[in-house]
Amino acid sequence: MLFGALEAGGTKMVCAIGDEYGQVLEQTSITTTTPDETMPKIFEFFDGKEIEAMGVACFGPVDVRKGSATYGNILNTPKIAWRDFPIVQNIKDNLGKDLPVGFDTDVNGSLLGEVTWGAAKGLTDAVYFTIGTGIGMGAISGGKLVHGMLHPEIGHIKMSILDGDNFKGVCPNHGTCFEGMASGPAIEARYGKSAKELENNNDVWNLEAGYIAQAVTAVIFTLSPQKIILGGGVMHQKQLFPLIRNKVLEDINGYIDTKELRNISSYIVPAALNDNQGIMGALKLAALEIA
Amino acid sequence: MLFGALEAGGTKMVCAIGDEYGQVLEQTSITTTTPDETMPKIFEFFDGKEIEAMGVACFGPVDVRKGSATYGNILNTPKIAWRDFPIVQNIKDNLGKDLPVGFDTDVNGSLLGEVTWGAAKGLTDAVYFTIGTGIGMGAISGGKLVHGMLHPEIGHIKMSILDGDNFKGVCPNHGTCFEGMASGPAIEARYGKSAKELENNNDVWNLEAGYIAQAVTAVIFTLSPQKIILGGGVMHQKQLFPLIRNKVLEDINGYIDTKELRNISSYIVPAALNDNQGIMGALKLAALEIA
């Protein structure tokens, strides 16, 4: 069975044709500018392809609540051209009004890829963080992707400022929230250098791991996942993983004891699908839509 | 149909007989001491009652993962006499090995009561906080009670210390975590007076609301509930509700905009079942066990 997949990001749109096994048969990448310019290029890629359903994993905030009047729309994003854009409806209008379209956040898409074929395969409770230009989190609880009132926005939880840190944060809404303190732009603003240039500076990564661990621990104490996957550009700094694992154990300080925490190197892990988790998750969103 | 219900708390055990509509027909309360002393009194209450199933909502930590080797056990609680006590097995050994026994945390029990008959009736995504001697949270996501690796432990998330506050917290593991800063014992340790005696001191409740709002906001950014119910002894101070609502909106600072947040007085609410949410939830746990 052939499915269409769209990983809709703020900088690029990845389009693919694939199957129910997550195999990508054809793929292209389109620069994200405005809906008027970008969407026709997407439709050109899918034109004439015999797909049974489409899956869209989209940058947020988005309305993922089926039955809502604005279901399938991008909401109040800072990317003004895309604000209130009805992306699901636009796809149906152009690729066929009866085409089933699965729709979720980009991070739920990546998580779904990892739960179906990757690092969290077969688990019912897991989370996927992306820590890069922005910070987001997808979550699955009891086998269902977490939506609720809107969807998680882990980037905006308040941080307890670490000792000796005077940085004021880069989040326009919250200053020193998780994204304000630990995103890629926060690292660059704090040190005046890119993450790449700071690679060998241990102090940088110790501090970064401290904030990431704080958010990971907050998620352990709320969603209680069986696996925590950390992805995104900042996590390409692999030296962060052991630092984060140690600090999470320090933060929990023995309060809970589980087999997962006793094997923390297989509990807090990188994505396993080589940056294909998003597009593979979008294929799964398509498959689920007609399941 | 008749069900047995046990709300197992650290200070008392509430036992009841009721039906699938949450109606309690007979109820008693037994002081919690040790399993050897307390459990026989519980069995005496249920002896000869024609119940179809039993529901147990228990103080934690507990193993609620069906299929786990220690399912139905109380885990490493500070109440030493109850540590590793196999409460579900003990009930089956005494009331009948074929008796279906539903089992969950006390806070998931209260939440289930409120989701079935109370403030969150019919919702798929909601949370119930108890803020009293300890702080805990039950959660439902996509219509399923949240378990995962263990269960939520919201009392232990790290707090960002509020301006001018020098209190060191009362949590033996984390000092200034949510429970360390905002539980009943934290209030008493901070001011040397009980919550009741401090009722008219606005500064006390402003600070308390600040910490509670911080935890509520963290939950909004992780679980994204459609309703937040605040219960427990500290929340008997009703003046906290408007303070918490205002501070949650301040903490979110316009970053997300939903109809729930626009109607925050019906979003962050007290329990609706007059302190019967726990025992009614335990009845529902029994009903679900044979559903």
Side-chain angles (χ1 to χ4, degrees):
Chain A
M1 211 177 260
L2 282 189
F3 296 115
L6 171 62
E7 188 183 3
T11 55
K12 63 177 180 176
M13 297 281 182
V14 180
C15 304
I17 303 293
D19 64 20
E20 65 268 46
Y21 307 108
Q23 204 179 334
V24 173
L25 305 169
E26 192 184 341
Q27 180 168 327
T28 194
S29 180
I30 294 160
T31 302
T32 305
T33 58
T34 65
D36 282 355
E37 221 174 59
T38 308
M39 294 306 295
K41 292 180 188 167
I42 291 172
F43 301 136
E44 201 175 305
F45 172 81
F46 287 108
D47 186 44
K49 306 288 193 330
E50 297 289 325
I51 58 175
E52 304 288 328
M54 177 92 179
V56 181
C58 188
F59 68 90
V62 284
D63 188 344
V64 291
R65 300 163 304 158
K66 285 199 172 181
S68 157
T70 53
Y71 171 76
N73 292 9
I74 297 172
L75 301 174
N76 58 332
T77 167
K79 301 175 220 310
I80 304 291
W82 294 87
R83 192 170 285 183
D84 298 320
F85 181 65
I87 188 165
V88 168
Q89 192 54 53
N90 188 254
I91 289 170
K92 283 178 182 273
D93 288 346
N94 284 276
L95 296 182
K97 75 177 178 27
D98 296 327
L99 181 71
V101 179
F103 182 63
D104 218 307
T105 60
D106 48 3
V107 275
N108 265 356
S110 292
L111 174 62
L112 188 58
E114 292 288 334
V115 164
T116 311
W117 296 291
K121 193 170 168 181
L123 296 181
T124 55
D125 293 76
V127 296
Y128 177 94
F129 283 73
T130 179
I131 303 170
T133 309
I135 294 182
M137 182 186 75
I140 191 164
S141 177
K144 292 191 168 188
L145 292 167
V146 173
H147 295 150
M149 172 175 74
L150 178 69
H151 46 65
E153 281 288 357
I154 196 70
H156 298 276
I157 63 167
K158 197 172 271 193
M159 290 282 103
S160 166
I161 304 304
L162 294 171
D163 278 351
D165 188 11
N166 300 311
F167 185 57
K168 294 300 171 205
V170 298
C171 175
N173 292 69
H174 310 112
T176 61
C177 64
F178 182 27
E179 187 171 293
M181 296 304 269
S183 61
I187 295 173
E188 291 191 28
R190 184 195 285 275
Y191 303 104
K193 292 180 185 175
S194 73
K196 186 78 193 157
E197 292 171 286
L198 295 161
E199 222 160 45
N200 297 313
N201 184 331
N202 290 342
D203 292 347
V204 169
W205 305 109
N206 270 313
L207 190 70
E208 179 72 10
Y211 288 115
I212 296 173
Q214 209 178 116
V216 166
T217 304
V219 166
I220 291 172
F221 284 148
T222 48
L223 279 153
S224 197
Q226 301 161 313
K227 186 80 78 176
I228 293 165
I229 302 166
L230 302 179
V234 170
M235 294 311 304
H236 288 150
Q237 302 293 326
K238 295 297 179 201
Q239 71 271 32
L240 276 170
F241 280 92
L243 299 174
I244 292 167
R245 291 175 187 132
N246 286 338
K247 283 180 196 289
V248 165
L249 291 178
E250 274 175 34
D251 282 357
I252 292 176
N253 198 22
Y255 184 72
I256 57 173
D257 175 32
T258 63
K259 68 176 189 330
E260 289 87 349
L261 290 174
R262 271 176 258 131
N263 296 289
I264 196 150
S265 60
S266 58
Y267 181 54
I268 299 174
V269 298
L273 299 176
N274 302 314
D275 290 332
N276 292 317
Q277 57 271 21
I279 200 72
M280 290 172 77
L283 283 173
K284 184 69 182 179
L285 284 173
L288 287 174
E289 195 62 20
I290 58 168
Chain B
M1 210 176 260
L2 283 188
F3 297 116
L6 171 62
E7 189 184 2
T11 56
K12 63 177 178 172
M13 297 281 180
V14 181
C15 303
I17 304 292
D19 64 20
E20 66 267 46
Y21 307 107
Q23 205 181 332
V24 173
L25 305 169
E26 192 185 340
Q27 181 169 326
T28 194
S29 179
I30 293 159
T31 303
T32 305
T33 58
T34 65
D36 282 352
E37 221 174 58
T38 308
M39 295 306 294
K41 293 181 188 166
I42 292 171
F43 301 136
E44 200 175 307
F45 173 81
F46 287 109
D47 186 45
K49 306 284 193 331
E50 297 289 324
I51 58 174
E52 305 288 329
M54 177 91 180
V56 181
C58 188
F59 69 89
V62 283
D63 188 344
V64 291
R65 300 163 305 157
K66 285 199 172 183
S68 157
T70 53
Y71 172 75
N73 292 9
I74 297 172
L75 301 173
N76 58 330
T77 166
K79 300 175 222 309
I80 304 290
W82 294 87
R83 192 171 284 183
D84 298 320
F85 181 65
I87 189 165
V88 169
Q89 192 54 52
N90 189 253
I91 289 169
K92 283 177 182 270
D93 288 345
N94 285 277
L95 295 182
K97 73 178 181 22
D98 296 327
L99 182 71
V101 180
F103 182 64
D104 217 306
T105 60
D106 48 4
V107 276
N108 265 356
S110 293
L111 174 63
L112 188 58
E114 292 288 334
V115 164
T116 311
W117 297 291
K121 194 171 168 180
L123 297 181
T124 55
D125 293 75
V127 295
Y128 177 93
F129 283 74
T130 180
I131 303 170
T133 310
I135 295 183
M137 182 186 75
I140 193 165
S141 177
K144 294 193 166 185
L145 292 166
V146 173
H147 295 150
M149 173 175 74
L150 178 70
H151 45 67
E153 281 287 358
I154 195 71
H156 298 277
I157 62 167
K158 197 172 272 195
M159 290 281 103
S160 165
I161 304 304
L162 294 171
D163 278 351
D165 187 11
N166 300 311
F167 184 57
K168 294 298 171 207
V170 297
C171 175
N173 293 70
H174 311 111
T176 60
C177 63
F178 181 26
E179 187 170 292
M181 296 304 269
S183 61
I187 295 173
E188 294 198 28
R190 183 194 286 276
Y191 302 104
K193 292 179 184 176
S194 73
K196 186 80 193 156
E197 293 172 285
L198 296 161
E199 220 160 46
N200 298 312
N201 184 332
N202 291 342
D203 291 347
V204 169
W205 306 110
N206 269 314
L207 190 69
E208 180 72 10
Y211 288 115
I212 296 173
Q214 210 178 113
V216 166
T217 305
V219 167
I220 291 172
F221 284 149
T222 48
L223 279 153
S224 197
Q226 299 160 312
K227 186 81 77 175
I228 293 165
I229 302 166
L230 303 179
V234 170
M235 295 311 303
H236 288 150
Q237 301 294 326
K238 296 295 180 202
Q239 71 272 31
L240 277 170
F241 280 91
L243 299 174
I244 293 166
R245 292 174 186 133
N246 286 338
K247 284 180 196 288
V248 164
L249 291 178
E250 274 176 33
D251 282 357
I252 292 175
N253 199 22
Y255 184 72
I256 57 174
D257 174 33
T258 63
K259 69 176 188 328
E260 290 87 349
L261 290 174
R262 271 175 258 131
N263 296 288
I264 196 150
S265 60
S266 57
Y267 181 54
I268 298 173
V269 298
L273 299 177
N274 302 314
D275 290 333
N276 292 317
Q277 56 271 20
I279 200 71
M280 290 172 77
L283 282 173
K284 184 68 181 178
L285 284 173
L288 287 175
E289 195 61 21
I290 58 169

